[in-house]
Amino acid sequence: MFRLGIDVGGTFTDLVVYDPKAKEIKLTKTPSTPKTPDQGVINGIRKVERVFGFEPRRIEFLIHGTTTATNALIERKGVKTALVVTKGFRDILHIARQVRPKLYDFFERRPDPFIPRHLRFEVPERILFDGRVSEELDEEAVREAARRMSANDIGVVAVCLLHSYANPVHEERVREIIEAEIPGVKVALSSEVLPEFKEYERMSTTVINAYVMPIVERYLNQIKDSLVRMGVETGLKIMQSNGGVMTAETAGKKSVHTVLSGPAAGVLGGLELARMAGFKDIITVDMGGTSFDVSLASQGVPTFTTESDINGHAIKVPMIDIKTLGAGGGSIAWVDAGGALQVGPESAGADPGPACYGWGGQEPTVTDANLALGYLNPAYFVGGEMSLDVDLARRAIREKVAGPMGLSLEEAAEGIIRVVNATMIRGIRLVSVEKGYDPREFTLVCFGGAGPVHAVKLAQELNIKRILVPEGPGVNCALGLLMADFRHDYSQTFLHLLNQVGPGQLEKAFAGLEERAKAQMLADGLSEDTVVFHRSADLRYQGQGYEIEVAFPEAITEGKDIRKTSCDFSRLHEEKYGYAMASESVEIVNLRLVAVGLLEKPEIKAEEPTGPDSRAALKGRREVYMDGRLREVPIYERSRLKCGMEIDSPAIIEQLDSTTVVFPGFRTAVDRYRNLMITGKGA
């Protein structure tokens, strides 16, 4: 039996196989199939069987990281959706928070809502903030709205009624009526998707969930059907944006939780490998074929957020805080109207791919530039399974960049690398400097197929002294999938002053969330003794508009538990904002519960060190254009490097899933877990 993690990227589908009995990890890649992404998953499983001899029926655990929801949102290719709201609240999606996207740009427009105005239906009803019914639901108005939806061929309906987080009775009745009037339609309730106050965030999150729900569900069903035909008996698991696992059935209903599925797994993988190597403060950078994902973890804990956005649309669900930029190996280089060189955000993706793939791509990309400079081995791409055409890469750069800008081929290629690096450096600063962290105090953990090619230059620009390149950087997200536990997040708005609420009242509210969590975990197939709960609450000084999440004790039995929580809030407020107001009343806004179901993890074997001599891994030399001139650079085979070996710079280290480029001024050593530890010579 074996465990399998599959991460579908824009260019390649990555697979990591873990054999618990032999405690061995194997990895491979296969081209993604953007037009039929589920086929890429099946192709990958078949390749695992063909290359490693693992029969599909022997899979005991299968987890998948998917970008289906993200792509549907970015490309606006979700299902035709309707929205039911309380009368008078039809335009919340337009009004949002009344903040211009760019303060001084009067022509900048917010993106249009996913649901046009004529498909938003008002119904008379009113529930107050405390859950009391002020006006009964007009059921005939709901039926009339359902008839109009049916005439518009609506595939899914989002329902977001005022204060339904306090009492969902009207939303539940709306669902009953719509399902009776339109058989087979899917309905998403805000009281189930996000039972919290703040109408815009709740409505936007519910609409996004509804918009992509049928797309995600159809995609997962296609994979599950194919798995059954292949003899795979284990259920399909999906990675969430919060770094937790959920079943495919749950993912089909809570699709908004999969928006950052793959990138979240990469953070987990990088964090676990860094922890084993002895580092707790890390910045993870994942450069794949289409995008660049960056995140920060402090003291071994990833940074989480409960508020994010995708292309200007608010999403309010717990997720690892990851910044995504359009800077990948397939990012297209182009010259703008002013004659300046730009790279991205448009990508050549997997189809047609960079020019050097020979699949019909005509535009120069970052991968073409790396190949033209000599960083990539044209005969050893994906371990030699795929060859790259250097002439096609050079032609694209010469015609589209070098010629128009009056540069030599090498100058143009190096310019492409500098521009895309500048974009990535801005992304790293977003999660570090702009959040109060000094990147010089962190270890840069780089992965993705293209990440190690650029890592040293990124570290050099930011004065980061230490870089960790995992043993399988190109498939780190797939490895991270196998490092995850089941996780479900629950929240409930609970507006009370902290000093006026009793321990019993809080304990009862948390117990209600825990009962929901236990029922979900049992439905997922976990036993109760493997489930761990973590309590917290969003707190604020009375009258504030924003909150800070504060951990709560496992059991709230006495007033001193509440007083300690109040002190913890003031301390965190001072750390975050530079001041605290201990005499002010503290208000509870939302109660939160994280339920974690513990799973078996891969065990990565440590190696005993050998000597520093790395000549056994040397496989040749080639001319490479570095820092404005040609150099003859030694080339090493990553699979031959053993613990304790050291490599001086400059050097290039090649492997099946990536290439590491070490520029002058850095040295490389192999640690006990076969990570490359790259440090500045002055470090």
Side-chain angles (χ1 to χ4, degrees), residues 76-134:
R76 300 184 71 94
K77 291 182 179 178
V79 170
K80 193 174 184 180
T81 307
L83 173 64
V84 178
V85 300
T86 302
K87 186 177 181 180
F89 291 84
R90 184 184 187 185
D91 294 317
I92 282 180
L93 291 177
H94 275 296
I95 297 169
R97 286 293 169 199
Q98 302 185 65
V99 177
R100 289 200 300 272
K102 294 181 181 177
L103 185 60
Y104 299 108
D105 187 346
F106 295 103
F107 300 99
E108 181 76 10
R109 282 190 56 180
R110 288 196 197 93
D112 292 331
F114 290 115
I115 302 178
R117 196 170 191 271
H118 73 278
L119 295 180
R120 295 179 230 147
F121 302 94
E122 297 181 330
V123 295
E125 67 87 38
R126 182 59 63 94
I127 287 176
L128 303 181
F129 75 96
D130 57 4
R132 289 180 294 131
V133 177
S134 174

Side-chain angles (χ1 to χ4, degrees), residues 13-31:
T13 293
D14 305 325
L15 300 100
V16 168
V17 181
Y18 177 62
D19 184 344
K21 187 175 181 180
K23 297 190 182 334
E24 289 182 347
I25 294 175
K26 298 180 183 294
L27 56 91
T28 189
K29 298 169 80 76
T30 186

Side-chain angles (χ1 to χ4, degrees), residues 333-343 400-401 404-405:
W334 51 287
V335 180
D336 67 18
L341 177 61
Q342 307 286 343
V343 180
K400 301 295 177 70
V401 178
M405 298 189 72

Side-chain angles (χ1 to χ4, degrees), residues 106-276:
F106 295 103
F107 300 99
E108 181 76 10
R109 282 190 56 180
R110 288 196 197 93
D112 292 331
F114 290 115
I115 302 178
R117 196 170 191 271
H118 73 278
L119 295 180
R120 295 179 230 147
F121 302 94
E122 297 181 330
V123 295
E125 67 87 38
R126 182 59 63 94
I127 287 176
L128 303 181
F129 75 96
D130 57 4
R132 289 180 294 131
V133 177
S134 174
E135 180 182 352
E136 293 292 343
L137 175 68
D138 187 335
E139 296 189 359
E140 185 52 40
V142 179
R143 292 188 181 91
E144 173 58 26
R147 288 190 283 269
R148 292 167 60 191
M149 293 176 201
S150 183
N152 279 279
D153 296 322
I154 294 299
V156 62
V157 180
V159 182
C160 188
L161 303 181
L162 193 65
H163 300 308
S164 62
Y165 59 85
N167 184 350
V169 61
H170 284 178
E171 284 197 350
E172 291 169 352
R173 181 56 183 150
V174 168
R175 175 166 58 190
E176 292 174 0
I177 294 171
I178 290 175
E179 289 178 342
E181 293 287 331
I182 317 174
V185 74
K186 297 183 181 300
V187 182
L189 305 185
S190 73
S191 53
E192 294 176 351
V193 174
L194 184 66
E196 298 180 19
F197 86 144
K198 295 188 177 179
E199 296 305 308
Y200 166 62
E201 286 80 3
R202 182 159 55 92
M203 186 178 294
S204 178
T205 304
T206 304
V207 165
I208 287 171
N209 189 81
Y211 185 70
V212 300
M213 184 167 63
I215 302 291
V216 172
E217 191 171 40
R218 182 167 62 246
Y219 168 72
L220 297 178
N221 285 339
Q222 289 170 341
I223 295 178
K224 288 191 294 182
D225 290 344
S226 297
L227 293 175
V228 170
R229 289 193 294 271
M230 296 174 75
V232 178
E233 297 180 359
T234 186
L236 178 64
K237 308 300 187 296
I238 301 299
M239 171 60 71
Q240 302 181 63
S241 306
N242 61 15
V245 179
M246 63 179 170
T247 64
E249 291 73 23
T250 303
K253 298 173 184 175
K254 298 182 178 180
S255 304
V256 70
H257 290 270
T258 68
V259 168
L260 290 177
S261 174
V267 175
L268 289 186
L271 190 60
E272 180 61 18
L273 293 171
R275 181 195 65 77
M276 294 169 64

